[in-house]
Amino acid sequence: MAAAIRQLARPVGGAWLRWVPALTLALFLAPVGAGLIGTWLPAFGYFPALGGTEIGLAPWRALVSYPGLGTSVWLSLCAGVLATGLSTGLAVGVVAACHNTRMFARLRRFLAPLLAVPHLAIAVGLSFLIAPSGWILRLISPWATGWQVPPDVALVQDPYGLALTFALVIKETPYLLLMTIAALDQSRAGERLAVARSLGYGPVTAWVKTVLPAIYPQIRLPIYAVLAYSLSVVDMAIFLAPQTPPPLAILVFRWFNDPDLAMRFVGAAGAVLQLAMVVAAICLWRLAEWAAECLGRRWLTAGGRGGSGRLPSMLAEGAMIGLYATAAASLLGLALWSLARRWPYPEALPVSWTLDNWLRQGPGLWWAGSTTLLTGVAAAAVALALTLGCLENEQRRGLTTSGRGLWLLYAPLLVPQVGFLFGTQVLTIRMGFDGTWAALIWSHLLFVLPYVFLSLADSYRRLDPRYARAALCLGASPNRVFWRVKLPMLVRPVLFAAAVGFAVSVAQYLPTLFAGAGRFATLTTEAVALAGGADRRVLGVYAFLQAVLPLLAFAAVLALPARRRRAGPAPAGAPL
Amino acid sequence: MTTEPRAGRLELRGVGLRANGRVLIAPFDLTVAAGQVATVMGPSGCGKSSLLAYICGTLDPGLQADGRVLLAGEDVTALPPERRRIGILFQDDLLFPHLSVAENLAFGLPPDVRDRAARQERIGAALAEAGLAGFGERDPATLSGGQRGRVALLRTLLAQPRALLLDEPFAKLDVGLRTRFRRFVFDHVRSNHLPTVLVTHDPADAPACGGPVIQIGLTSEANGGEIP
């Protein structure tokens, strides 16, 4: 039957569709590949535009002798690996400990807003919150601490990168939690748990011993993406990591922007080092997985039943609530600062309020806001069209996706941005369209597309194929089935994927700078440009608006009325 | 396989099931003596599996149940599943694919068998009992349906349950195999003195049991089974 339908479907309106996957891959893998080559060549001295025509190791010598390089690498590694480890442990721990509890349902409901808020807004908000002059110390000073002036301790930009690690954990835990839940939905976890518990296993032990081994392969790639991101993040690190010396990615970024053009070579070598660091960290993580598997097997079969799991549940719940509360307080802090006229230390709240901070930004804010909005909408729309094309092509031709396809999709998320964007920029300059809208949207698309695809693919593939078959048998063409049956049935996941894409675009920093050639200012680039400036009120305006745009997009999707026509009330207890 | 006889009956007192106020299973009483197999008959979708889930403590939170479950006179209704010690076999064997056959059995064996050699010995004995000596290192997926079913039963028995629930474990086997596996299960039920509840929609299962038979779900048949 399915084969017959495929035969039926193939000749009708599918001719152009089969080129969509190839086009998609070309659009978003070519820049990554070309960017890597365009970065590696200068790293070994070859860059004719700047007079480098001889292959050699001079850039590497300059890189290695750069003062503080070792500290930078070590700082990146520590913050990145620690943040990934904590986020993974917490996300898995929460699911293991709270699976199927009421608290879990509540945590799940607040996942989307936390995912929507850009990394940078959390970083800025967190720095406003935990700095020596931050909101937390204001709330407890001077009555509890006795401090009339901010204490002289490095609570943000601390030498160990802990503030950066903390901010990364706030943002990455919800993402990994979402991925774990998605994997869980396909793993028959309920039956596995029922078996293990009827054999006498405590709830948390049962989950870790029987469900985790089944779902880990599915959350492996997201974990690697988090690791790659955490090791090479720039915008968050500018606010939260120490700056002398900074993490490696910031160092590389500075070299690429150095007025001395010769530093481009060092930057390119640094970019290669950054990539090597990510590759090494992923390999190490893989080794640790193997080790855990070997040790875990003994533990798995030793028969230990575990306890009631109440303590881990409470710990995991407490940690998650702490993360949510910190994120919410960070955003609230941004809003307060953006509305403060005067907020002297150690007042708990602004002493006088104003809208001037917003109004005074006038055209600059308007321009940055509309650039952000336009780029985000355009990138999300293109990504959505390509994703739908790929998925529809896959279904019409009865294809299944391979694991390798998934790795390709993750490629732009696994390769550090500073590791290839310079080369991509060189490419766009040579093609003569750097600094155009097309280059800007294309560069965002690299990172928007994987997320749109990942968030839509499951719903699309899981739509009951009998609906499409029924429509085909009623004489509808495959295109009509797509527009009139599938899309309307999937309107929610489709719009949700679009909101995800929009949020990803809003958060982009390096792509905007590299592809925009300095001609485009978004809320993100403006906010970073304000880093180090003393005025929290202006920074609050930009960072808050940056956080609000994606939140509004998600709120709009969630507020959509469920467009389901019912003949009458649903029968009570009908299977969902 | 010989385990300590833990003689004790399983009693259901006024046990019934509702979904959003609609009665799936009207409250009923049932007493199953040690070593006896009671049969609950009903069409598919009438809530038989949910009834077993309620007895072993894993009922879906979307369903409501009444009544009490007593095991050897002890009320276990409020206990979490892992402390009830009620074993269950499903229609699918649910052997864990990430573990070998022997490791699946080791998973069931309690941790108080500490010594590695003793654990190996118990597992070896269980394998021999299932006619699967030497199959320990195999991947469960390479076993036949009947073999997997036997391993699943032995895994359950190694955990030393006080009662056994059978959720149509014979339904997927072909007829000849079904008779043999059924006998294998019932022999173990008797030798372990386990009070056992079997749910099935196959009328052939009931006479083979020899215990009490209860028919449920006839009234809600009209709106129970099919997905609208």
Side-chain angles (χ1 to χ4, degrees):
Chain A
M1 174 74 186
I5 298 287
R6 248 179 272 132
Q7 283 300 324
L8 193 73
R10 204 169 287 169
V12 193
W16 57 272
L17 199 59
R18 72 176 55 196
W19 297 106
V20 174
L23 174 73
T24 307
L25 282 180
L27 260 181
F28 97 125
L29 284 184
V32 178
L36 282 175
I37 294 168
T39 307
W40 291 342
L41 289 179
F44 292 94
Y46 185 80
F47 195 28
L50 289 181
T53 47
E54 294 211 354
I55 305 283
L57 290 175
W60 288 92
R61 267 180 237 118
L63 175 70
V64 172
S65 61
Y66 193 85
L69 181 78
T71 319
S72 288
V73 169
W74 184 242
L75 181 65
S76 293
L77 268 177
C78 288
V81 173
L82 187 62
T84 310
L86 285 174
S87 309
T88 308
L90 202 52
V92 169
V94 166
V95 182
C98 312
H99 184 53
N100 269 348
T101 62
R102 212 166 294 157
M103 177 54 83
F104 189 66
R106 231 169 279 157
L107 288 174
R108 201 173 168 162
R109 200 168 317 140
F110 286 104
L111 216 48
L114 196 46
L115 285 165
V117 176
H119 287 78
L120 184 70
I122 290 291
V124 177
L126 189 68
S127 74
F128 285 7
L129 193 63
I130 63 172
S133 59
W135 201 13
I136 291 179
L137 280 182
R138 285 170 195 252
L139 285 173
I140 59 168
S141 295
W143 55 272
T145 61
W147 289 325
Q148 292 293 342
V149 290
D152 187 19
V153 279
L155 291 175
V156 294
Q157 306 198 332
D158 62 290
Y160 309 103
L162 292 178
L164 175 63
T165 306
F166 185 32
L168 282 166
V169 170
I170 293 178
K171 267 304 289 178
E172 300 307 337
T173 304
Y175 168 66
L176 289 177
L177 189 55
L178 183 77
M179 291 293 133
T180 310
I181 292 172
L184 205 60
D185 289 344
Q186 313 166 3
S187 69
R188 303 179 77 186
E191 291 175 347
R192 285 163 179 262
L193 280 177
V195 170
R197 294 193 71 183
S198 75
L199 293 172
Y201 283 84
V204 178
T205 312
W207 198 92
V208 175
K209 284 189 171 182
T210 68
V211 180
L212 183 59
I215 64 167
Y216 188 80
Q218 290 175 70
I219 58 173
R220 176 178 285 138
L221 271 177
I223 291 175
Y224 293 172
V226 167
L227 188 56
Y229 181 87
S230 304
L231 286 168
S232 54
V233 61
V234 169
D235 53 358
M236 288 179 112
I238 287 176
F239 284 90
L240 296 174
Q243 300 298 309
T244 47
L248 180 62
I250 292 189
L251 216 47
V252 174
F253 177 59
R254 282 189 198 157
W255 288 329
F256 280 139
N257 286 296
D258 201 290
D260 177 6
L261 291 177
M263 291 307 280
R264 298 288 186 282
F265 292 100
V266 185
V272 177
L273 178 64
Q274 175 79 53
L275 177 64
M277 181 167 88
V278 169
V279 171
I282 290 179
C283 290
L284 273 179
W285 193 278
R286 187 78 188 92
L287 278 179
E289 284 172 13
W290 269 317
E293 207 183 316
C294 294
L295 294 175
R297 202 157 274 269
R298 288 278 297 273
W299 177 66
L300 229 60
T301 53
R305 258 49 173 178
S308 68
R310 221 159 279 150
L311 183 68
S313 302
M314 277 164 55
L315 285 177
E317 275 177 16
M320 272 317 280
I321 292 170
L323 284 193
Y324 276 64
T326 311
S330 298
L331 291 188
L332 191 60
L334 292 179
L336 287 183
W337 272 109
S338 78
L339 294 171
R341 186 193 295 280
R342 239 168 53 74
W343 191 352
Y345 196 86
E347 295 295 331
L349 286 172
V351 290
S352 57
W353 304 79
T354 180
L355 278 175
D356 280 355
N357 303 330
W358 288 83
L359 300 175
R360 253 185 317 189
Q361 299 312 316
L365 185 65
W366 174 249
W367 170 235
S370 38
T371 306
T372 308
L373 198 66
L374 275 176
T375 314
V377 169
V382 175
L384 198 58
L386 289 171
T387 298
L388 285 170
C390 287
L391 290 169
E392 178 66 10
N393 179 62
E394 174 188 297
Q395 280 193 349
R396 284 195 200 175
R397 287 157 35 90
L399 305 172
T400 48
T401 40
S402 63
R404 208 183 306 155
L406 208 57
W407 274 93
L408 287 180
L409 197 60
Y410 266 94
L413 309 180
L414 293 175
V415 179
Q417 292 190 345
V418 285
F420 73 95
L421 280 175
F422 174 69
T424 312
Q425 187 188 23
V426 174
L427 181 75
T428 54
I429 291 172
R430 299 197 86 177
M431 290 164 69
F433 78 119
D434 64 310
T436 60
W437 281 99
L440 180 67
I441 292 165
W442 190 11
S443 71
H444 280 216
L445 192 62
L446 298 186
F447 309 99
V448 170
L449 188 65
Y451 284 108
V452 170
F453 194 97
L454 290 171
S455 75
L456 186 55
D458 272 347
S459 318
Y460 204 87
R461 289 174 182 151
R462 245 187 274 166
L463 181 68
D464 191 337
R466 290 175 304 175
Y467 289 109
R469 276 179 218 161
L472 287 171
C473 294
L474 289 171
S477 72
N479 286 342
R480 192 173 151 79
V481 171
F482 173 76
W483 290 106
R484 301 299 303 276
V485 178
K486 289 186 186 173
L487 268 193
M489 289 184 80
L490 289 165
V491 66
R492 254 165 193 278
V494 165
L495 290 177
F496 191 80
V500 169
F502 178 73
V504 170
S505 166
V506 169
Q508 294 306 318
Y509 174 60
L510 289 182
T512 312
L513 287 190
F514 276 103
R519 272 173 230 165
F520 294 95
T522 62
L523 295 170
T524 308
T525 59
E526 290 294 277
V528 177
L530 289 165
D535 200 344
R536 284 188 181 168
R537 290 166 297 190
V538 182
L539 190 48
V541 167
Y542 279 94
F544 185 67
L545 191 57
Q546 195 219 13
V548 162
L549 281 185
L551 278 177
L552 285 179
F554 275 93
V557 174
L558 292 178
L560 270 186
R563 242 193 58 187
R564 192 174 297 165
R565 300 197 185 97
R566 289 196 177 116
L576 293 171
Chain B
M1 159 164 300
T2 49
T3 48
E4 301 280 306
R6 290 172 299 277
R9 13 176 230 192
L10 174 68
E11 290 169 78
L12 307 182
R13 292 204 189 143
V15 168
L17 216 53
R18 288 168 293 124
N20 298 322
R22 188 175 61 114
V23 174
L24 286 176
I25 298 175
F28 68 97
D29 293 322
L30 177 66
T31 301
V32 191
Q36 192 183 38
V37 181
T39 310
V40 177
M41 300 275 302
S44 51
C46 72
K48 298 190 300 287
S49 296
S50 299
L51 173 67
L52 293 191
Y54 178 62
I55 299 174
C56 71
T58 56
L59 186 65
D60 184 274
L63 297 175
Q64 301 88 46
D66 313 294
R68 294 191 296 145
V69 179
L70 281 78
L71 201 47
E74 180 203 353
D75 190 340
V76 298
T77 320
L79 289 182
E82 65 271 19
R83 293 193 35 216
R84 298 187 184 195
R85 296 180 58 196
I86 300 180
I88 185 164
L89 275 191
F90 295 97
Q91 195 177 77
D92 296 308
D93 50 77
L94 294 175
L95 295 179
F96 299 123
H98 60 288
L99 300 177
S100 70
V101 171
E103 285 169 338
N104 263 287
L105 292 171
F107 189 87
L109 196 61
D112 51 2
V113 186
R114 276 264 167 79
D115 183 45
R116 285 195 84 187
R119 290 183 77 82
Q120 296 295 344
E121 196 182 322
R122 289 284 293 277
I123 292 161
L127 280 170
E129 180 131 6
L132 289 170
F135 279 63
E137 294 309 308
R138 294 269 288 265
D139 180 338
T142 64
L143 267 54
S144 73
Q147 290 169 330
R148 282 203 301 271
R150 279 177 280 166
V151 175
L153 175 69
L154 288 164
R155 179 176 70 177
T156 306
L157 295 180
L158 280 172
Q160 302 180 343
R162 299 190 292 172
L164 186 63
L165 307 177
L166 304 171
D167 191 354
E168 308 207 36
F170 316 121
K172 282 197 175 167
L173 303 175
D174 58 53
V175 181
L177 203 53
R178 191 181 306 170
T179 316
R180 264 181 290 148
F181 183 52
R182 197 190 282 137
R183 196 181 311 129
F184 182 80
V185 172
F186 291 168
D187 285 349
H188 279 85
V189 165
R190 267 189 290 276
S191 62
N192 284 281
H193 306 281
L194 290 173
T196 299
V197 178
L198 166 74
V199 301
T200 181
H201 65 273
D202 180 2
D205 282 334
C209 295
V213 179
I214 282 192
Q215 188 80 39
I216 60 167
L218 287 179
T219 51
S220 54
E221 206 174 351
N223 53 3
E226 294 303 311
I227 294 165

